[in-house]
Amino acid sequence: MNIRAQPIRTTCPYCGVGCGVLARPDGEGGLDISGDPDHPANRGRLCVKGAALAETLRPDGRLLTPRIHGRVADWDSALDMVARRFQETIAEHGPDSVGFYVSGQLLTEDYYVANKLMKGFIGSANIDTNSRLCMASSVAGHRRAFGSDTVPGLYEDFEEAELVVLVGSNLAWCHPVLYQRLAAAREKGLGPRVVVIDPRRTATCDLADLHLAIKPGGDAALFNLLLAENERRRACDGIFLPHVSGLQEALHAARATDPAMTGLEPEDLARFLEWWIDTEKVVTVYSQGINQSDSGTDKVNAILNCHLATGRIGRPGMGPFSVTGQPNAMGGREVGGLANMLACHLDIENKAHRDAVQYFWQAPAMAPGPGLKAVEMFRAVEEGRIKALWIICTNPAVTMPEADRVARAIEGCDFTVVSDMMEQTDTTRLAHVLLPATGWGEKDGTVTNSERRISRQRPSQPRRGEARDDWRILADVGRRMGWENAFGWNSAAEVYAEYAALSGVAGGLGSDFDISAHAGITSAEYDALEPFLWPQSSRKRGGRFFGDGRFHTPDGKARMVPVTARAPQPLCPAYPFRLNTGRVRDHWHTMTRTALSPRLSRHMAEPYLELHPQDAAELGLQPAELAEVDSPHGRAILRVLVTDRVARGHPFAPMHWTGETAPSGRIDALVPWLTDPLSGQPASKSAPVAIRPFAAGWFGFALAARAFRPDCAYWARASLPGGMQAELAGRAPPADWGEWAAAMFGLTSEPLTISDRARGMQRLGFVEQGRLAAALFVAPEPVALSRSHVAGLLGAEPGPGMLAGRAGADQPDEGATVCACFGVGVNTIARAIAEQGLVTVESVGAALQAGSNCGSCRPEIRALIERCLAGSGNPAKEPTVFDAGESLILSRDIPADDRKHASDHAN
Ligand SMILES: Nc1nc2c(c(=O)[nH]1)N[C@H]1C(S)=C(S)[C@@H](COP(=O)(O)OP(=O)(O)OC[C@H]3O[C@@H](n4cnc5c(=O)[nH]c(N)nc54)[C@H](O)[C@@H]3O)O[C@H]1N2
Ligand SMILES: Nc1nc2c(c(=O)[nH]1)N[C@H]1C(S)=C(S)[C@@H](COP(=O)(O)OP(=O)(O)OC[C@H]3O[C@@H](n4cnc5c(=O)[nH]c(N)nc54)[C@H](O)[C@@H]3O)O[C@H]1N2
Ligand code: SF4
Ligand SMILES: [Mo]
């Protein structure tokens, strides 16, 4: 009998929902992944990224040994070198001449050690984190209003609310399990009304009773208007108001707001105000559309003001709710990972707090005050003020604004250390010393999710190569720098126990973050730790905050902040578009892990620009052509996706592509170093850009059984089940396509070449050992062929018509993937809708399975049903291979009138 291994209970390493995962070793070195039915965050659900975790554990691309100047090195040499170079730099130039740039994807134990080393022992606060790009405005807003960085509510408030307002949050794609919890509550008929406030019509709008396509930056104005209207309608809460200061000043500022700043129709605005004011149980959820702005902190406080004035906080079904992005964004904030925080929510600018932490750590050199925030830190690197830099678990050469400049600054730094799981990233390429870190499945520690729930990540796999845990690498360097005892832990459990003890000291000083109930935790208890809400101390256990009207300010009252709504920086004629940026459904940030999964690479296979039809027409850009996007800081080339989901003048591009996957798709090359003055968070949603057609002389599509790296002006590669594909384009074609392709694929055989004059297309196939090993299709226009069909030919024996690029009549073409779980394509779904008369997402699920597992694609299936029902004629009889690219981004969004154009390509 085959006795199955017990599943290991762990936590998903992607978004801040913090879903519990059951990882069951499959006996062949891999894992079976399922949602943990007992985890309170997800109750068994997973989104597609979580469900595909096992596919991202491949050894491909892992950094397996330390490297010094690119050469393999042993751990001792690498650690000695790091410790020595940091010591020498500090001795010569002082503690502020070094810096750590870390990540909300570190575990709490890793973060604790990094923070202790920098702030207590090196004696500088130059440790900042990618959470600066993510949560800093929420942190600053919380601290202004509450006196502490505290998220008051719980996930169950989403379900208990009568109105959920999602502001600057694409919850369907970025917090999918929370979105599904909300959708499930509504399906039961009890769930809340939903309002989505986003300049784009996103997948999240599938759930919306009202979508407010707000003008960029109009959010502070909107919430100011809401505050003023609450007062006008006498809807402020007289019982709660004694717990709040600053009402009159905030109202004064709010009343001065011009409704035109929101760009909303008066009826929509009125309806929103009415719903919000007339509903007691309101949760206002906000994310990067609020935080990533040059007035992000004010926007946060404009939202908090409305909840404070009406007492809608800290009670079931109500409150402001800042959702965290990364799996441990919250843990990093607790532990003091930001340059302007201490540890356990203590204040680095408060001497009594610094002294208490110094005493607890027995620290020789406490940082005297805040350090440099991310953008300031990279400016200091650029200017040579920081001379030794350690980057851990983040890829700033891609994700920092002015990414080209950041990459040059890192390259110019005297000494750069990078700890990563992966060997080749845009940032690891720039390091003097590379340190291999263990990754998810190997690591051991804790993370805190958006509702302050701490869960364990437990190892389920042997570590790869010589990889070590981040906390241990940091501790080893601390010991080598002379602090044997302070960094002498033997396990993550010991680090956690020390942290819990420190939180007790903090709790004594009035900090809300107190998990001192775990101060004496044993290794066995740590291993068995169940997910729990903080605080956990003799004073308080779990639950919501602030319902009792007690805040962490000196007078115990919450502070309302007067907010003057400001429009974003004006555009100039040279850069007339305001570029919005963000995320796609199936990829995670710089894709170092999600790109390994063919399943996750099918949904969006290349970088793109969502452009309003009128903008596209004026620029002379057709769907699926390429656009060149310029800003004063850099340049990108992106596939054009024409859609009225974005507003005129306000295109959108995703942030995920890199020098590894699409070098001309690095979006942060375009984004300026413009930050919020209080939080230091960059305005990543508002880059002034110019757009023009990219004058491509040729377009191509390539695929091969082995990885390859193209060499042309535009390329974007993505993994396939049996290899890799790439979209290509260039200005002048090479003299000989055969030679060019052979060099790209690294093949020596002569290609089969077919010239298709009718379609102006060249097809080249490379056959090795009787099987198709690689193929290239080139055309003067975006290559119109069925990607999913040709991908299926890799490794097959060549037959007649193999390179036709279209499925034969007997082989219906799947089209681009909609449902990644079951691999169901857009054309299959459209055909089933037409032929079987399906009108609900459930019926599509019953017929094809699509949408019936993780549910991430349900908004898209619903949109497809609506489009098919609205479309003239029978969608199954219409051309289903819409256009080049054929990734869903293109086919899905080409409006009906443009399908003709698309089908002209295809036929
Ligand atoms: N699939 C996936 N999920 C993820 C991630 C991922 O990489 N991939 N990353 C995680 C991380 S770290 C984070 S921080 C979260 C981010 O989660 P979200 O914040 O939900 O995601 P974004 O796509 O960055 O931006 C959200 C929305 O803000 C809108 N927006 C832009 N400008 C404005 C404005 O002025 N006002 C308003 N109201 N809205 C505006 C954008 O159009 C966009 O739809 O996602 C997490 N989850
Ligand atoms: N234009 C624009 N830019 C943005 C944003 C945006 O919306 N628009 N969003 C911003 C936000 S909110 C965020 S959070 C950032 C995210 O940006 P980054 O943090 O730079 O992106 P990631 O790809 O998540 O980088 C994580 C790196 O850590 C490595 N890694 C994974 N696990 C481990 C581990 O356990 N240990 C170590 N040492 N390494 C590991 C991965 O291989 C990868 O190289 O991007 C920001 N940049
Ligand atoms: S919603 Fe998806 S990405 Fe986020 S934690 Fe859950 S499974 Fe992971
Ligand atoms: Mo983030």
Side-chain angles (χ1 to χ4, degrees):
M1 201 177 80
N2 182 12
I3 299 172
R4 305 270 289 167
Q6 278 297 313
I8 289 147
R9 293 179 67 204
T10 181
T11 312
C12 175
Y14 296 121
C15 84
V17 178
C19 296
V21 169
L22 297 182
R24 195 190 299 267
D26 64 6
E28 292 164 25
L31 292 177
D32 285 337
I33 296 290
S34 57
D36 180 351
D38 298 325
H39 197 289
N42 57 317
R43 298 263 174 244
R45 290 185 174 90
L46 289 179
C47 79
V48 62
K49 292 186 300 302
L53 266 170
E55 293 160 42
T56 63
L57 300 177
R58 304 208 319 237
D60 314 40
R62 280 293 293 269
L63 176 64
L64 298 174
T65 63
R67 283 169 187 268
I68 298 177
H69 299 300
R71 281 188 295 277
V72 170
D74 59 64
W75 270 108
D76 280 337
S77 315
L79 293 171
D80 284 345
M81 180 173 217
V82 175
R84 182 172 50 79
R85 290 296 299 264
F86 269 78
Q87 269 174 322
E88 286 169 2
T89 308
I90 294 162
E92 197 171 335
H93 304 283
D96 289 334
S97 65
V98 303
F100 292 170
Y101 183 61
V102 302
S103 167
Q105 292 163 71
L106 286 175
L107 305 183
T108 298
E109 292 73 6
D110 304 326
Y111 241 135
Y112 178 80
V113 179
N115 193 50
K116 181 176 179 181
L117 179 57
M118 185 52 88
K119 291 196 183 128
F121 289 75
I122 290 177
S124 167
N126 284 346
I127 171 169
D128 210 37
T129 142
N130 61 3
S131 285
R132 182 69 58 194
L133 318 179
C134 181
M135 302 315 302
S137 297
S138 279
V139 174
H142 285 155
R143 293 177 77 203
R144 276 207 296 190
F146 309 148
S148 61
D149 175 23
T150 315
V151 171
L154 305 174
Y155 289 162
E156 62 203 49
D157 294 328
F158 284 55
E159 288 141 344
E160 286 188 42
E162 288 158 0
L163 173 66
V164 170
V165 182
L166 298 162
V167 202
S169 154
N170 187 4
L171 203 75
W173 283 8
C174 296
H175 297 90
V177 164
L178 269 181
Y179 176 85
Q180 285 169 36
R181 283 179 62 163
L182 198 54
R186 279 166 63 96
E187 271 159 27
K188 281 193 209 128
L190 309 165
R193 257 185 185 149
V194 173
V195 178
V196 173
I197 304 172
D198 192 311
R200 280 196 308 155
R201 201 168 67 244
T202 61
T204 305
C205 295
D206 186 44
L207 211 62
D209 299 292
L210 177 65
H211 169 218
L212 300 178
I214 194 143
K215 256 198 198 165
D219 307 273
L222 179 64
F223 283 88
N224 264 356
L225 294 167
L226 176 60
L227 180 64
E229 186 66 8
N230 264 299
E231 152 76 3
R232 204 184 65 78
R233 295 204 17 210
R234 302 186 192 288
C236 294
D237 181 338
I239 298 171
F240 200 75
L241 282 174
H243 302 293
V244 174
S245 64
L247 174 68
Q248 290 313 324
E249 294 83 344
L251 276 171
H252 184 75
R255 286 194 203 102
T257 307
D258 176 3
M261 288 183 76
T262 63
L264 298 175
E265 295 296 329
E267 316 78 76
D268 286 344
L269 178 58
R271 183 180 306 171
F272 170 69
L273 298 180
E274 188 189 307
W275 284 4
W276 206 100
I277 293 167
D278 291 344
T279 315
E280 193 188 15
K281 290 187 166 184
V282 185
V283 174
T284 308
V285 179
Y286 57 96
S287 186
Q288 301 314 334
I290 292 294
N291 292 341
Q292 288 174 339
S293 147
D294 61 347
S295 56
T297 307
D298 277 350
K299 290 179 183 172
V300 168
N301 285 107
I303 294 171
L304 301 184
N305 281 346
C306 293
H307 281 271
L308 289 171
T310 58
R312 290 181 174 121
I313 190 163
R315 288 186 285 145
M318 57 188 97
F321 207 118
S322 147
V323 276
T324 50
Q326 298 175 94
N328 201 28
M330 189 70 99
R333 283 149 68 177
E334 292 152 12
V335 98
L338 291 159
N340 55 325
M341 307 282 281
L342 192 47
C344 306
H345 283 185
L346 292 175
D347 186 354
I348 198 164
E349 295 183 72
N350 180 323
K351 185 166 183 318
H353 289 190
R354 285 197 309 272
D355 289 349
V357 176
Q358 178 159 25
Y359 181 76
F360 179 87
W361 279 342
Q362 291 294 299
M366 276 305 283
L372 298 174
K373 302 186 175 101
V375 169
E376 298 166 345
M377 185 181 282
F378 284 99
R379 182 175 285 125
V381 173
E382 179 180 60
E383 292 171 357
R385 286 179 283 124
I386 286 189
K387 297 170 193 300
L389 176 67
W390 191 352
I391 297 166
I392 309 176
C393 198
T394 174
N395 196 355
V398 183
T399 54
M400 278 290 294
E402 297 190 32
D404 291 344
R405 182 174 175 186
V406 166
R408 282 193 301 271
I410 298 171
E411 198 171 16
C413 188
D414 287 352
F415 184 61
T416 307
V417 186
V418 176
S419 303
D420 206 289
M421 295 167 64
M422 295 302 175
E423 185 174 336
Q424 286 289 338
T425 76
D426 291 24
T427 303
T428 57
R429 265 199 291 282
L430 306 171
H432 297 111
V433 177
L434 264 182
L435 302 175
T438 49
W440 184 85
E442 302 155 24
K443 296 186 74 151
D444 193 14
T446 55
V447 290
T448 313
N449 73 3
S450 295
E451 63 167 351
R452 291 177 282 104
R453 193 176 297 280
I454 298 183
S455 304
R456 290 276 279 110
Q457 265 192 28
R458 296 184 175 91
S460 53
Q461 296 248 294
R463 49 197 58 211
R464 294 261 179 213
E466 296 178 25
R468 291 188 184 173
D469 295 339
D470 286 297
W471 71 265
R472 192 178 289 278
I473 301 173
L474 283 152
D476 281 344
V477 168
R479 282 208 297 275
R480 280 171 163 77
M481 290 176 79
W483 303 301
E484 275 292 331
N485 291 335
F487 296 91
W489 310 280
N490 293 306
S491 66
E494 288 178 16
V495 179
Y496 179 82
E498 178 179 313
Y499 174 47
L502 175 59
S503 78
V505 175
L509 291 166
S511 172
D512 56 352
F513 181 80
D514 186 346
I515 53 167
S516 52
H518 296 168
I521 198 166
T522 63
S523 190
E525 287 165 344
Y526 182 72
D527 283 345
L529 199 64
E530 290 291 320
F532 71 94
L533 287 171
W534 65 254
Q536 287 285 317
S537 72
S538 52
R539 295 178 191 88
K540 189 175 173 190
R541 287 197 181 225
R544 297 178 180 83
F545 276 92
F546 309 138
D548 59 2
R550 291 220 303 271
F551 294 85
H552 294 100
T553 51
D555 63 2
K557 289 185 185 184
R559 289 178 294 228
M560 288 181 61
V561 177
V563 171
T564 303
R566 278 199 293 124
Q569 298 242 324
L571 297 168
C572 68
Y575 299 102
F577 292 90
R578 194 179 292 288
L579 179 68
N580 178 9
T581 67
R583 289 159 172 78
V584 304
R585 195 188 77 190
D586 293 358
H587 275 306
W588 178 261
H589 297 163
T590 67
M591 301 200 270
T592 62
R593 288 169 287 169
T594 48
L596 296 173
S597 157
R599 162 154 63 139
L600 296 180
S601 303
R602 296 315 299 152
H603 184 237
M604 301 286 183
E606 60 179 333
Y608 61 92
L609 181 73
E610 288 186 342
L611 197 60
H612 188 271
Q614 220 164 331
D615 288 339
E618 284 168 16
L619 291 164
L621 276 161
Q622 298 286 349
E625 288 183 345
L626 293 171
E628 194 174 319
V629 186
D630 284 286
S631 92
H633 315 286
R635 176 172 165 267
I637 305 172
L638 304 169
R639 187 77 65 184
V640 173
L641 191 168
V642 178
T643 171
D644 64 3
R645 291 187 321 208
V646 293
R648 286 197 70 191
H650 196 37
F652 172 87
M655 61 172 286
H656 306 283
W657 280 268
T658 69
E660 288 297 301
T661 46
S664 68
R666 297 170 68 249
I667 273 313
D668 273 298
L670 304 168
V671 177
W673 273 6
L674 174 70
T675 57
D676 177 272
L678 292 158
S679 69
Q681 177 156 357
S684 319
K685 298 263 181 277
S686 177
V689 297
I691 302 174
R692 69 170 82 91
F694 171 74
W698 60 274
F699 292 85
F701 177 71
L703 71 172
R706 278 198 301 267
F708 59 96
R709 191 180 172 94
D711 181 14
C712 49
Y714 173 83
W715 61 263
R717 57 183 183 174
S719 58
L720 289 173
M724 177 173 276
Q725 70 164 58
E727 299 290 341
L728 315 167
R731 292 186 195 274
D736 183 324
W737 280 114
E739 274 175 28
W740 190 85
M744 169 170 72
F745 294 131
L747 295 172
T748 47
S749 55
E750 275 289 308
L752 293 166
T753 304
I754 302 166
S755 179
D756 176 347
R757 277 183 207 286
R759 287 212 268 164
M761 198 189 283
Q762 296 247 32
R763 305 146 194 274
L764 291 86
F766 290 82
V767 177
E768 284 198 327
Q769 287 154 355
R771 312 252 161 202
L772 187 70
L776 170 67
F777 302 83
V778 193
E781 290 190 54
V783 175
L785 55 77
S786 163
R787 266 68 175 160
S788 44
H789 171 65
V790 292
L793 301 177
L794 263 188
E797 284 176 32
M802 172 175 224
L803 295 180
R806 264 184 302 174
D810 54 333
Q811 291 167 285
D813 177 30
E814 271 287 318
T817 303
V818 175
C819 170
C821 292
F822 295 111
V824 188
V826 63
N827 296 335
T828 307
I829 299 175
R831 219 176 282 120
I833 292 169
E835 289 172 3
Q836 304 177 36
L838 308 177
V839 291
T840 62
V841 178
E842 287 66 32
S843 58
V844 171
L848 302 170
Q849 290 187 297
S852 64
N853 183 39
C854 80
S856 292
C857 63
R858 291 166 69 90
E860 286 152 87
I861 296 176
R862 186 153 17 242
L864 208 56
I865 295 171
E866 272 163 26
R867 231 188 20 235
C868 290
L869 294 179
S872 53
N874 181 345
K877 296 217 176 98
E878 284 179 24
T880 49
V881 177
F882 291 129
D883 208 348
E886 201 212 84
S887 58
L888 185 59
I889 54 171
L890 302 168
S891 46
R892 174 170 9 95
D893 290 294
I894 296 174
D897 337 339
D898 289 337
R899 286 197 199 155
K900 168 97 179 56
H901 165 89
S903 64
D904 290 347
H905 281 311
N907 293 315

